[in-house]
């Protein structure tokens, strides 16, 4: 199957899952995760109408970005762990950082975006399974609230929501309680006066469950571009 066929297949599945959950499918964005994939694959997805993309490494995207000129309305989000010393490069390359996992990183990104005269969207990454190998902040971390409280001072960042990567379970149903925890965290922050409109949750094997649990952005790599080489 071609990338275009894969994308239209995923879009149909998003619609079905949304209907199933009595949600409007236009509320759910599809992010094509193109890490490790060549610029040509990204162009192919773009030609099929895809505009939102996710990358997980600053260095990798720095080498690909020059090959993607002309895709003027494509938006690339950083979804991988970002060291704060790479804030400047990330702010240059990306329109959003969905993987903010510390107050310090957010401050650095704001400063970098200010120097560039641009505004970056950010999401806070929540490590909902408490896995050490994964980045993100535990849902109960007081730093989550601290970031939200500081966010209004950051003139060059727009706080959009939360992202999560749950622990892998063979049965995608296993991810449901994790997705639900992140949605509940969003709801509890709303009660504290912090409106977060985006929940980035769900990947190739569990995005339908994530949609049922309120996801507004599913990040799909393998099911669009095929398997990635194992690192
Ligand atoms: C790689 C990656 C994805 C996509 O995973 P697939 O299983 O290939 O769909 C989604 N989110 C993040 C943060 C990733 O690193």
């Amino acid at each position: 199957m071609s990338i275009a066929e894969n994308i239209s297949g995923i879009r149909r599945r998003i619609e079905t899952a949304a209907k199933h959950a009595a949600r409007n499918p236009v509320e759910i964005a599809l992010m094509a995760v193109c890490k490790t994939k060549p610029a040509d694959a990204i162009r192919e997805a773009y030609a099929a109408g895809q505009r939102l993309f996710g990358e997980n490494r600053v260095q990798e995207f720095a080498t690909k970005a020059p090959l993607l000129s002309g895709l003027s309305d494509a938006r690339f989000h950083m979804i991988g762990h970002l060291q704060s010393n790479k804030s400047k490069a990330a702010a240059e390359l990306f329109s959003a950082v969905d993987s903010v996992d510390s107050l310090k990183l957010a401050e650095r990104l704001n400063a970098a975006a200010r120097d560039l005269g641009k505004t970056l969207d950010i999401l806070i990454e929540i490590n909902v399974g408490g896995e050490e190998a994964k980045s993100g902040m535990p849902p109960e971390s007081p730093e989550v609230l601290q970031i939200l409280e500081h966010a209004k001072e950051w003139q060059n960042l727009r706080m959009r929501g939360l992202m999560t990567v749950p622990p892998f379970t063979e049965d995608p149903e296993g991810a449901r309680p994790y997705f639900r925890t992140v949605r509940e965290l969003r709801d509890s922050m709303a009660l504290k006066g912090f409106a977060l409109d985006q929940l980035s949750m769900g990947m190739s094997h569990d995005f339908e469950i994530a949609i049922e649990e309120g996801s507004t952005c599913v990040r799909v790599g393998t099911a669009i571009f095929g398997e990635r080489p194992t690192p």
Side-chain angles (χ1 to χ4, degrees):
M1 290 245 277
S2 69
I3 287 172
E5 286 167 324
N6 290 341
I7 289 173
S8 57
I10 300 285
R11 290 201 177 282
R12 274 195 301 276
R13 285 170 60 190
I14 290 172
E15 274 173 37
T16 306
K19 286 213 181 82
H20 195 236
R23 298 184 57 200
N24 186 343
V26 302
E27 292 167 12
I28 301 149
L30 170 60
M31 174 186 287
V33 178
C34 47
K35 63 191 188 198
T36 79
K37 299 297 170 184
D40 282 350
I42 297 171
R43 287 190 176 279
E44 215 175 310
Y46 184 90
Q50 183 64 33
R51 292 294 179 270
L52 177 61
F53 295 89
E55 286 277 352
N56 72 337
R57 290 213 164 98
V58 169
Q59 195 47 52
E60 180 190 333
F61 189 56
T63 62
K64 271 194 259 182
L67 309 172
L68 296 168
S69 58
L71 309 191
S72 53
D73 57 345
R75 285 166 295 131
F76 290 87
H77 287 205
M78 173 63 176
I79 60 170
H81 179 64
L82 181 61
Q83 290 167 284
S84 53
N85 62 7
K86 293 196 177 137
S87 298
K88 186 166 176 287
E92 268 168 19
L93 287 163
F94 295 103
S95 61
V97 176
D98 295 355
S99 47
V100 169
D101 60 0
S102 72
L103 187 60
K104 179 178 157 201
L105 175 60
E107 278 167 350
R108 292 273 195 106
L109 285 169
N110 182 57
R114 188 182 50 221
D115 292 346
L116 294 163
K118 73 188 267 191
T119 305
L120 276 180
D121 283 348
I122 60 166
L123 280 74
I124 300 175
E125 183 175 1
I126 303 298
N127 182 348
V128 75
E131 294 169 286
E132 254 178 53
K134 285 202 174 117
S135 47
M137 312 173 69
E140 65 280 2
S141 167
E143 210 171 327
V144 174
L145 196 56
Q146 283 172 21
I147 292 177
L148 296 175
E149 281 164 349
H150 278 82
K152 41 187 172 308
E153 299 156 19
W154 297 324
Q155 306 257 315
N156 296 77
L157 300 182
R158 254 190 313 255
M159 172 59 66
R160 303 306 306 271
L162 307 175
M163 173 179 102
T164 200
V165 182
F168 180 82
T169 50
E170 212 50 63
D171 178 359
E173 273 295 331
R176 187 185 297 279
Y178 296 109
F179 293 144
R180 190 167 291 170
T181 297
V182 175
R183 169 164 52 86
E184 288 169 353
L185 178 62
R186 190 267 318 264
D187 294 345
S188 74
M189 292 302 152
L191 291 175
K192 294 189 163 82
F194 301 106
L196 300 170
D197 55 345
Q198 295 190 8
L199 282 181
S200 174
M201 326 193 283
M203 320 202 310
S204 292
H205 92 296
D206 58 11
F207 70 86
E208 281 133 326
I209 307 286
I211 289 169
E212 289 173 19
E213 294 302 328
S215 174
T216 65
C217 178
V218 295
R219 308 177 309 268
V220 179
T222 314
I224 292 176
F225 296 108
E227 293 292 335
R228 288 178 295 272
T230 39

